[in-house]
Amino acid sequence: GNSVTQMEGPVTLSEEAFLTINCTYTATGYPSLFWYVQYPGEGLQLLLKATKADDKGSNKGFEATYRKETTSFHLEKGSVQVSDSAVYFCALSRTQGGSEKLVFGKGTKLTVNP
Amino acid sequence: GAGVSQSPSNKVTEKGKDVELRCDPISGHTALYWYRQSLGQGLEFLIYFQGNSAPDKSGLPSDRFSAERTGGSVSTLTIQRTQQEDSAVYLCASSPRQGTHEQYFGPGTRLTVT
């Protein structure tokens, strides 16, 4: 079946540090890949996506590249800010049997200290 | 424009009671999803509606759970004879059409079963 594995947190960084959150997936075929973010007290928001191999998704300084050879979609940011503190979820989606659903990783909590 | 809305935002109920949770998707979105977010299980898919097609109910955890979508818009998730393990945040999402794989989430309903 389809599954997503992402690094367990929590992750604590100082402001302006480099961030990597690892994500790998298992899926048949060619899924679309996503990072969603959940800020404290808020709902899930789409951060970025990639729909095919070698695509790079980017938003708000975050980037992730769809690597088919390593089945990975690692999230990176060169310089984190306190406002990036949130829970980050890696997810995949495929159309199967006419149905589409997101399969999520367990989430990684990021805390950025000033 | 207006996003996905859910009501109520919080619901406390006694074990054994029935509850109804409501979702208003983004206007014009043909696909609607329900997910459950709990500490132990992370984010789990429950059910998917797409237009007039038969829904994908493969994620519903038991026959106490049901959902309907009236007129291709508003959806109601019903949990009968609630149990303490049903306590979670229930998230609704909508998507413009099949194949886009982008889902827009509502703020969720926090259900507490006492």
Side-chain angles (χ1 to χ4, degrees), chain A residues 32 34 36 38 42-46 49 51 87 89 93-106, chain B residues 33 35 37 40-45 48 50 56 58-59 91 95 97-107:
Chain A
S32 294
F34 304 85
Y36 279 83
Q38 190 170 35
E42 298 185 17
L44 274 172
Q45 301 176 24
L46 176 64
K49 72 171 188 177
T51 58
V87 181
F89 294 90
S93 176
R94 277 195 66 224
T95 305
Q96 255 179 315
S99 176
E100 296 180 0
K101 57 192 175 189
L102 286 166
V103 175
F104 288 92
K106 292 197 178 296
Chain B
Y33 314 76
Y35 294 87
Q37 185 174 23
Q41 301 298 323
L43 277 154
E44 304 171 278
F45 164 80
Y48 162 67
Q50 171 58 46
D56 176 1
S58 60
L91 297 171
S95 185
R97 61 189 179 279
Q98 190 174 36
T100 62
H101 296 277
E102 283 190 28
Q103 299 182 23
Y104 299 85
F105 284 81

Short mmCIF file of all heavy atoms in Angstrom, two decimals, chain A residues 32 34 36 38 42-46 49 51 87 89 93-106, chain B residues 33 35 37 40-45 48 50 56 58-59 91 95 97-107:
data_model
loop_
_atom_site.label_atom_id
_atom_site.label_comp_id
_atom_site.label_asym_id
_atom_site.label_seq_id
_atom_site.Cartn_x
_atom_site.Cartn_y
_atom_site.Cartn_z
N SER A 32 1.51 12.21 -6.55
CA SER A 32 1.85 13.60 -6.31
C SER A 32 2.28 13.71 -4.86
O SER A 32 1.77 13.01 -3.99
CB SER A 32 0.64 14.50 -6.56
OG SER A 32 0.29 14.50 -7.92
N PHE A 34 3.35 16.24 -1.42
CA PHE A 34 2.98 17.50 -0.80
C PHE A 34 3.68 17.68 0.54
O PHE A 34 4.01 16.71 1.22
CB PHE A 34 1.46 17.53 -0.51
CG PHE A 34 0.60 17.28 -1.70
CD1 PHE A 34 0.30 15.98 -2.10
CD2 PHE A 34 0.06 18.33 -2.43
CE1 PHE A 34 -0.50 15.73 -3.21
CE2 PHE A 34 -0.74 18.10 -3.53
CZ PHE A 34 -1.01 16.80 -3.92
N TYR A 36 2.36 19.84 3.85
CA TYR A 36 1.35 20.66 4.50
C TYR A 36 1.93 21.17 5.82
O TYR A 36 2.77 20.51 6.44
CB TYR A 36 0.08 19.86 4.80
CG TYR A 36 -0.84 19.70 3.61
CD1 TYR A 36 -0.61 18.71 2.66
CD2 TYR A 36 -1.93 20.55 3.44
CE1 TYR A 36 -1.46 18.58 1.57
CE2 TYR A 36 -2.78 20.42 2.34
CZ TYR A 36 -2.52 19.43 1.42
OH TYR A 36 -3.36 19.30 0.33
N GLN A 38 0.89 23.06 9.66
CA GLN A 38 -0.16 23.37 10.63
C GLN A 38 0.44 24.27 11.69
O GLN A 38 1.19 23.82 12.56
CB GLN A 38 -0.72 22.09 11.24
CG GLN A 38 -1.98 22.28 12.07
CD GLN A 38 -2.63 20.95 12.44
OE1 GLN A 38 -1.96 19.95 12.67
NE2 GLN A 38 -3.94 20.92 12.50
N GLU A 42 -4.18 26.60 14.20
CA GLU A 42 -4.75 26.80 12.87
C GLU A 42 -4.95 25.47 12.15
O GLU A 42 -4.48 24.42 12.60
CB GLU A 42 -3.86 27.72 12.04
CG GLU A 42 -3.72 29.11 12.62
CD GLU A 42 -2.93 30.03 11.71
OE1 GLU A 42 -2.77 29.71 10.51
OE2 GLU A 42 -2.47 31.08 12.20
N GLY A 43 -5.61 25.53 11.01
CA GLY A 43 -5.84 24.33 10.22
C GLY A 43 -4.67 24.02 9.31
O GLY A 43 -3.70 24.77 9.23
N LEU A 44 -4.77 22.90 8.62
CA LEU A 44 -3.74 22.47 7.68
C LEU A 44 -3.72 23.37 6.46
O LEU A 44 -4.75 23.68 5.88
CB LEU A 44 -4.02 21.05 7.22
CG LEU A 44 -3.51 19.91 8.04
CD1 LEU A 44 -4.06 18.60 7.53
CD2 LEU A 44 -1.99 19.85 8.02
N GLN A 45 -2.51 23.76 6.05
CA GLN A 45 -2.36 24.58 4.85
C GLN A 45 -1.38 23.90 3.91
O GLN A 45 -0.36 23.38 4.37
CB GLN A 45 -1.81 25.96 5.20
CG GLN A 45 -2.63 26.77 6.16
CD GLN A 45 -1.95 28.06 6.52
OE1 GLN A 45 -1.12 28.58 5.77
NE2 GLN A 45 -2.30 28.62 7.67
N LEU A 46 -1.68 23.93 2.64
CA LEU A 46 -0.74 23.42 1.66
C LEU A 46 0.47 24.35 1.59
O LEU A 46 0.32 25.55 1.38
CB LEU A 46 -1.40 23.33 0.28
CG LEU A 46 -0.51 22.89 -0.87
CD1 LEU A 46 -0.02 21.47 -0.66
CD2 LEU A 46 -1.27 22.99 -2.20
N LYS A 49 4.01 21.62 -3.40
CA LYS A 49 3.71 20.32 -4.00
C LYS A 49 4.61 20.09 -5.20
O LYS A 49 5.21 21.01 -5.76
CB LYS A 49 2.25 20.25 -4.43
CG LYS A 49 1.92 21.10 -5.64
CD LYS A 49 0.52 20.80 -6.15
CE LYS A 49 0.26 21.50 -7.47
NZ LYS A 49 -1.08 21.18 -8.02
N THR A 51 4.40 17.24 -8.71
CA THR A 51 3.55 16.23 -9.31
C THR A 51 4.29 15.20 -10.14
O THR A 51 3.70 14.18 -10.53
CB THR A 51 2.46 16.88 -10.18
OG1 THR A 51 3.11 17.67 -11.18
CG2 THR A 51 1.56 17.76 -9.36
N VAL A 87 3.83 22.43 12.84
CA VAL A 87 3.98 21.01 12.55
C VAL A 87 3.91 20.84 11.04
O VAL A 87 3.01 21.36 10.39
CB VAL A 87 2.89 20.18 13.25
CG1 VAL A 87 3.08 18.69 12.95
CG2 VAL A 87 2.91 20.42 14.75
N PHE A 89 3.74 18.27 7.73
CA PHE A 89 3.30 16.95 7.31
C PHE A 89 3.67 16.72 5.85
O PHE A 89 3.32 17.52 4.98
CB PHE A 89 1.78 16.81 7.44
CG PHE A 89 1.26 16.86 8.84
CD1 PHE A 89 0.90 18.06 9.42
CD2 PHE A 89 1.13 15.70 9.58
CE1 PHE A 89 0.40 18.12 10.71
CE2 PHE A 89 0.62 15.74 10.88
CZ PHE A 89 0.27 16.95 11.44
N SER A 93 -0.50 11.65 -2.79
CA SER A 93 -1.85 11.44 -3.32
C SER A 93 -1.77 10.77 -4.67
O SER A 93 -0.91 11.10 -5.48
CB SER A 93 -2.59 12.78 -3.46
OG SER A 93 -3.86 12.59 -4.04
N ARG A 94 -2.63 9.77 -4.85
CA ARG A 94 -2.74 9.11 -6.14
C ARG A 94 -4.21 8.92 -6.47
O ARG A 94 -5.03 8.77 -5.58
CB ARG A 94 -2.10 7.72 -6.12
CG ARG A 94 -0.61 7.70 -6.33
CD ARG A 94 -0.17 6.28 -6.67
NE ARG A 94 -0.72 5.86 -7.95
CZ ARG A 94 -1.25 4.66 -8.18
NH1 ARG A 94 -1.35 3.78 -7.22
NH2 ARG A 94 -1.70 4.35 -9.38
N THR A 95 -4.51 8.92 -7.75
CA THR A 95 -5.86 8.55 -8.18
C THR A 95 -5.87 7.04 -8.36
O THR A 95 -5.13 6.51 -9.18
CB THR A 95 -6.24 9.24 -9.49
OG1 THR A 95 -6.09 10.65 -9.33
CG2 THR A 95 -7.68 8.93 -9.86
N GLN A 96 -6.70 6.38 -7.56
CA GLN A 96 -6.76 4.92 -7.60
C GLN A 96 -8.21 4.50 -7.57
O GLN A 96 -8.93 4.81 -6.62
CB GLN A 96 -6.04 4.32 -6.37
CG GLN A 96 -4.71 3.72 -6.65
CD GLN A 96 -4.02 3.17 -5.41
OE1 GLN A 96 -3.97 3.79 -4.36
NE2 GLN A 96 -3.46 1.99 -5.55
N GLY A 97 -8.63 3.80 -8.61
CA GLY A 97 -10.02 3.34 -8.65
C GLY A 97 -11.00 4.48 -8.60
O GLY A 97 -12.08 4.36 -8.04
N GLY A 98 -10.62 5.62 -9.18
CA GLY A 98 -11.51 6.78 -9.18
C GLY A 98 -11.50 7.56 -7.88
O GLY A 98 -12.20 8.55 -7.74
N SER A 99 -10.68 7.13 -6.92
CA SER A 99 -10.64 7.81 -5.63
C SER A 99 -9.31 8.50 -5.44
O SER A 99 -8.28 8.00 -5.86
CB SER A 99 -10.88 6.79 -4.51
OG SER A 99 -10.76 7.41 -3.24
N GLU A 100 -9.33 9.64 -4.81
CA GLU A 100 -8.11 10.35 -4.45
C GLU A 100 -8.14 10.62 -2.96
O GLU A 100 -9.17 11.06 -2.44
CB GLU A 100 -8.04 11.70 -5.19
CG GLU A 100 -7.94 11.58 -6.67
CD GLU A 100 -7.88 12.92 -7.36
OE1 GLU A 100 -7.92 13.96 -6.68
OE2 GLU A 100 -7.81 12.92 -8.58
N LYS A 101 -7.05 10.36 -2.31
CA LYS A 101 -6.98 10.69 -0.90
C LYS A 101 -5.53 10.96 -0.55
O LYS A 101 -4.62 10.44 -1.19
CB LYS A 101 -7.51 9.56 -0.03
CG LYS A 101 -6.81 8.23 -0.23
CD LYS A 101 -7.59 7.11 0.44
CE LYS A 101 -6.97 5.76 0.14
NZ LYS A 101 -7.82 4.64 0.59
N LEU A 102 -5.33 11.78 0.45
CA LEU A 102 -3.99 12.06 0.93
C LEU A 102 -3.60 11.01 1.97
O LEU A 102 -4.38 10.69 2.86
CB LEU A 102 -3.92 13.45 1.55
CG LEU A 102 -3.95 14.62 0.58
CD1 LEU A 102 -4.23 15.92 1.32
CD2 LEU A 102 -2.64 14.72 -0.19
N VAL A 103 -2.37 10.54 1.84
CA VAL A 103 -1.77 9.68 2.85
C VAL A 103 -0.67 10.51 3.51
O VAL A 103 0.25 10.96 2.83
CB VAL A 103 -1.20 8.40 2.23
CG1 VAL A 103 -0.48 7.57 3.28
CG2 VAL A 103 -2.31 7.59 1.57
N PHE A 104 -0.77 10.69 4.81
CA PHE A 104 0.12 11.59 5.52
C PHE A 104 1.19 10.85 6.31
O PHE A 104 0.96 9.74 6.81
CB PHE A 104 -0.68 12.43 6.53
CG PHE A 104 -1.56 13.48 5.93
CD1 PHE A 104 -2.89 13.19 5.62
CD2 PHE A 104 -1.09 14.75 5.69
CE1 PHE A 104 -3.72 14.16 5.08
CE2 PHE A 104 -1.91 15.73 5.15
CZ PHE A 104 -3.22 15.43 4.84
N GLY A 105 2.34 11.51 6.47
CA GLY A 105 3.28 11.09 7.48
C GLY A 105 2.77 11.53 8.84
O GLY A 105 1.74 12.19 8.95
N LYS A 106 3.50 11.18 9.87
CA LYS A 106 3.03 11.44 11.23
C LYS A 106 3.27 12.87 11.71
O LYS A 106 2.82 13.24 12.79
CB LYS A 106 3.67 10.45 12.20
CG LYS A 106 3.17 9.02 11.96
CD LYS A 106 3.46 8.12 13.14
CE LYS A 106 2.91 6.73 12.90
NZ LYS A 106 1.43 6.73 12.80
N TYR B 33 -13.60 15.71 1.16
CA TYR B 33 -12.94 14.66 1.94
C TYR B 33 -13.16 14.90 3.43
O TYR B 33 -13.22 16.04 3.87
CB TYR B 33 -11.42 14.69 1.71
CG TYR B 33 -10.97 14.81 0.28
CD1 TYR B 33 -11.04 16.02 -0.40
CD2 TYR B 33 -10.43 13.70 -0.38
CE1 TYR B 33 -10.62 16.13 -1.71
CE2 TYR B 33 -10.00 13.81 -1.69
CZ TYR B 33 -10.09 15.02 -2.35
OH TYR B 33 -9.67 15.13 -3.65
N TYR B 35 -11.22 13.70 7.05
CA TYR B 35 -10.07 13.07 7.70
C TYR B 35 -10.25 13.19 9.21
O TYR B 35 -11.02 14.01 9.70
CB TYR B 35 -8.76 13.78 7.32
CG TYR B 35 -8.37 13.67 5.87
CD1 TYR B 35 -8.84 14.58 4.93
CD2 TYR B 35 -7.50 12.66 5.44
CE1 TYR B 35 -8.49 14.49 3.59
CE2 TYR B 35 -7.13 12.57 4.10
CZ TYR B 35 -7.63 13.48 3.20
OH TYR B 35 -7.27 13.39 1.87
N GLN B 37 -7.86 13.52 12.79
CA GLN B 37 -6.52 13.75 13.33
C GLN B 37 -6.54 13.45 14.81
O GLN B 37 -7.22 14.12 15.59
CB GLN B 37 -6.08 15.20 13.10
CG GLN B 37 -4.65 15.49 13.52
CD GLN B 37 -4.21 16.89 13.14
OE1 GLN B 37 -5.03 17.79 12.95
NE2 GLN B 37 -2.91 17.08 13.01
N GLY B 40 -2.79 9.50 18.62
CA GLY B 40 -2.23 8.16 18.45
C GLY B 40 -2.10 7.73 17.00
O GLY B 40 -1.19 6.99 16.64
N GLN B 41 -3.00 8.21 16.15
CA GLN B 41 -3.09 7.70 14.79
C GLN B 41 -2.66 8.70 13.73
O GLN B 41 -2.65 8.38 12.55
CB GLN B 41 -4.53 7.25 14.49
CG GLN B 41 -5.04 6.17 15.43
CD GLN B 41 -4.24 4.91 15.34
OE1 GLN B 41 -3.80 4.52 14.26
NE2 GLN B 41 -4.00 4.27 16.46
N GLY B 42 -2.36 9.93 14.11
CA GLY B 42 -2.01 10.92 13.10
C GLY B 42 -3.21 11.30 12.27
O GLY B 42 -4.34 11.32 12.76
N LEU B 43 -2.98 11.61 11.01
CA LEU B 43 -4.05 12.02 10.09
C LEU B 43 -4.51 10.83 9.27
O LEU B 43 -3.75 10.24 8.52
CB LEU B 43 -3.53 13.10 9.15
CG LEU B 43 -3.54 14.52 9.68
CD1 LEU B 43 -2.48 15.36 9.01
CD2 LEU B 43 -4.92 15.14 9.49
N GLU B 44 -5.80 10.51 9.41
CA GLU B 44 -6.35 9.34 8.72
C GLU B 44 -7.47 9.75 7.78
O GLU B 44 -8.36 10.50 8.17
CB GLU B 44 -6.96 8.36 9.71
CG GLU B 44 -6.08 7.86 10.81
CD GLU B 44 -6.95 7.08 11.79
OE1 GLU B 44 -7.59 7.72 12.66
OE2 GLU B 44 -7.00 5.84 11.67
N PHE B 45 -7.47 9.20 6.59
CA PHE B 45 -8.55 9.40 5.64
C PHE B 45 -9.79 8.66 6.10
O PHE B 45 -9.71 7.54 6.59
CB PHE B 45 -8.10 8.87 4.27
CG PHE B 45 -9.21 8.67 3.28
CD1 PHE B 45 -9.73 9.73 2.59
CD2 PHE B 45 -9.72 7.40 3.06
CE1 PHE B 45 -10.76 9.56 1.67
CE2 PHE B 45 -10.75 7.20 2.14
CZ PHE B 45 -11.26 8.28 1.44
N TYR B 48 -14.40 10.00 0.89
CA TYR B 48 -14.17 10.90 -0.25
C TYR B 48 -15.41 10.92 -1.12
O TYR B 48 -15.94 9.88 -1.48
CB TYR B 48 -12.97 10.39 -1.03
CG TYR B 48 -12.80 10.90 -2.45
CD1 TYR B 48 -12.50 12.24 -2.70
CD2 TYR B 48 -12.88 10.03 -3.54
CE1 TYR B 48 -12.30 12.69 -4.00
CE2 TYR B 48 -12.67 10.47 -4.84
CZ TYR B 48 -12.37 11.81 -5.07
OH TYR B 48 -12.17 12.27 -6.34
N GLN B 50 -16.89 12.58 -4.77
CA GLN B 50 -16.53 13.26 -6.02
C GLN B 50 -17.79 13.33 -6.89
O GLN B 50 -18.26 12.31 -7.40
CB GLN B 50 -15.43 12.51 -6.75
CG GLN B 50 -15.15 13.01 -8.17
CD GLN B 50 -14.76 14.46 -8.24
OE1 GLN B 50 -13.93 14.94 -7.46
NE2 GLN B 50 -15.36 15.21 -9.14
N ASP B 56 -15.99 6.98 -1.80
CA ASP B 56 -15.01 6.03 -1.31
C ASP B 56 -15.08 6.05 0.22
O ASP B 56 -14.61 6.99 0.85
CB ASP B 56 -13.61 6.43 -1.79
CG ASP B 56 -12.51 5.54 -1.23
OD1 ASP B 56 -12.81 4.59 -0.47
OD2 ASP B 56 -11.34 5.80 -1.53
N SER B 58 -13.74 3.75 2.20
CA SER B 58 -12.81 2.74 2.68
C SER B 58 -12.12 3.11 3.99
O SER B 58 -11.59 2.23 4.68
CB SER B 58 -11.75 2.46 1.61
OG SER B 58 -11.02 3.64 1.31
N GLY B 59 -12.11 4.39 4.36
CA GLY B 59 -11.43 4.80 5.58
C GLY B 59 -12.31 4.86 6.81
O GLY B 59 -11.81 5.06 7.92
N LEU B 91 -11.40 16.72 10.28
CA LEU B 91 -11.07 17.71 9.28
C LEU B 91 -11.80 17.43 7.99
O LEU B 91 -11.91 16.28 7.55
CB LEU B 91 -9.56 17.69 9.00
CG LEU B 91 -8.65 18.06 10.17
CD1 LEU B 91 -7.20 17.77 9.81
CD2 LEU B 91 -8.81 19.51 10.54
N SER B 95 -11.62 20.02 -2.97
CA SER B 95 -10.70 20.12 -4.08
C SER B 95 -11.49 20.52 -5.33
O SER B 95 -12.63 20.09 -5.49
CB SER B 95 -10.02 18.76 -4.30
OG SER B 95 -9.05 18.82 -5.29
N ARG B 97 -11.47 19.73 -8.50
CA ARG B 97 -11.94 18.66 -9.38
C ARG B 97 -10.97 17.49 -9.24
O ARG B 97 -9.85 17.64 -8.74
CB ARG B 97 -11.98 19.13 -10.84
CG ARG B 97 -10.62 19.54 -11.37
CD ARG B 97 -10.71 20.20 -12.73
NE ARG B 97 -9.37 20.60 -13.17
CZ ARG B 97 -8.76 21.70 -12.79
NH1 ARG B 97 -9.35 22.51 -11.93
NH2 ARG B 97 -7.56 21.99 -13.23
N GLN B 98 -11.41 16.36 -9.72
CA GLN B 98 -10.55 15.18 -9.66
C GLN B 98 -9.31 15.39 -10.52
O GLN B 98 -9.39 15.94 -11.61
CB GLN B 98 -11.31 13.95 -10.16
CG GLN B 98 -10.58 12.65 -9.91
CD GLN B 98 -11.43 11.45 -10.27
OE1 GLN B 98 -12.18 11.48 -11.24
NE2 GLN B 98 -11.34 10.39 -9.49
N GLY B 99 -8.20 14.97 -10.00
CA GLY B 99 -6.96 15.05 -10.75
C GLY B 99 -6.06 16.19 -10.33
O GLY B 99 -4.87 16.17 -10.64
N THR B 100 -6.59 17.17 -9.60
CA THR B 100 -5.72 18.28 -9.19
C THR B 100 -4.87 17.89 -7.98
O THR B 100 -3.80 18.43 -7.78
CB THR B 100 -6.54 19.52 -8.80
OG1 THR B 100 -7.38 19.21 -7.69
CG2 THR B 100 -7.39 19.99 -9.97
N HIS B 101 -5.40 16.97 -7.16
CA HIS B 101 -4.70 16.48 -5.98
C HIS B 101 -4.44 17.55 -4.93
O HIS B 101 -3.81 17.27 -3.93
CB HIS B 101 -3.38 15.80 -6.33
CG HIS B 101 -3.57 14.56 -7.16
ND1 HIS B 101 -3.87 13.33 -6.61
CD2 HIS B 101 -3.50 14.37 -8.49
CE1 HIS B 101 -3.98 12.45 -7.57
NE2 HIS B 101 -3.75 13.03 -8.72
N GLU B 102 -4.89 18.78 -5.13
CA GLU B 102 -4.72 19.82 -4.11
C GLU B 102 -5.97 19.86 -3.26
O GLU B 102 -7.07 19.98 -3.79
CB GLU B 102 -4.51 21.18 -4.76
CG GLU B 102 -3.13 21.40 -5.30
CD GLU B 102 -2.90 22.84 -5.72
OE1 GLU B 102 -3.55 23.73 -5.14
OE2 GLU B 102 -2.08 23.05 -6.62
N GLN B 103 -5.78 19.79 -1.96
CA GLN B 103 -6.91 19.81 -1.05
C GLN B 103 -6.78 21.00 -0.11
O GLN B 103 -5.70 21.30 0.38
CB GLN B 103 -6.97 18.51 -0.25
CG GLN B 103 -7.16 17.29 -1.15
CD GLN B 103 -7.28 16.00 -0.39
OE1 GLN B 103 -7.63 15.98 0.78
NE2 GLN B 103 -7.00 14.90 -1.06
N TYR B 104 -7.91 21.65 0.13
CA TYR B 104 -7.99 22.83 0.98
C TYR B 104 -8.79 22.45 2.22
O TYR B 104 -9.94 22.03 2.11
CB TYR B 104 -8.64 23.98 0.22
CG TYR B 104 -7.85 24.38 -1.00
CD1 TYR B 104 -8.03 23.73 -2.21
CD2 TYR B 104 -6.90 25.39 -0.93
CE1 TYR B 104 -7.28 24.06 -3.33
CE2 TYR B 104 -6.16 25.74 -2.04
CZ TYR B 104 -6.36 25.07 -3.24
OH TYR B 104 -5.61 25.41 -4.33
N PHE B 105 -8.15 22.63 3.37
CA PHE B 105 -8.72 22.13 4.61
C PHE B 105 -9.48 23.20 5.39
O PHE B 105 -9.12 24.38 5.38
CB PHE B 105 -7.60 21.58 5.50
CG PHE B 105 -7.11 20.23 5.06
CD1 PHE B 105 -6.20 20.12 4.03
CD2 PHE B 105 -7.57 19.08 5.67
CE1 PHE B 105 -5.75 18.87 3.61
CE2 PHE B 105 -7.13 17.83 5.27
CZ PHE B 105 -6.22 17.73 4.23
N GLY B 106 -10.52 22.74 6.06
CA GLY B 106 -11.21 23.57 7.02
C GLY B 106 -10.49 23.56 8.36
O GLY B 106 -9.50 22.84 8.53
N PRO B 107 -10.99 24.34 9.32
CA PRO B 107 -10.32 24.45 10.63
C PRO B 107 -10.54 23.25 11.53
O PRO B 107 -9.84 23.11 12.53
CB PRO B 107 -10.96 25.70 11.24
CG PRO B 107 -12.31 25.77 10.59
CD PRO B 107 -12.14 25.25 9.20
#
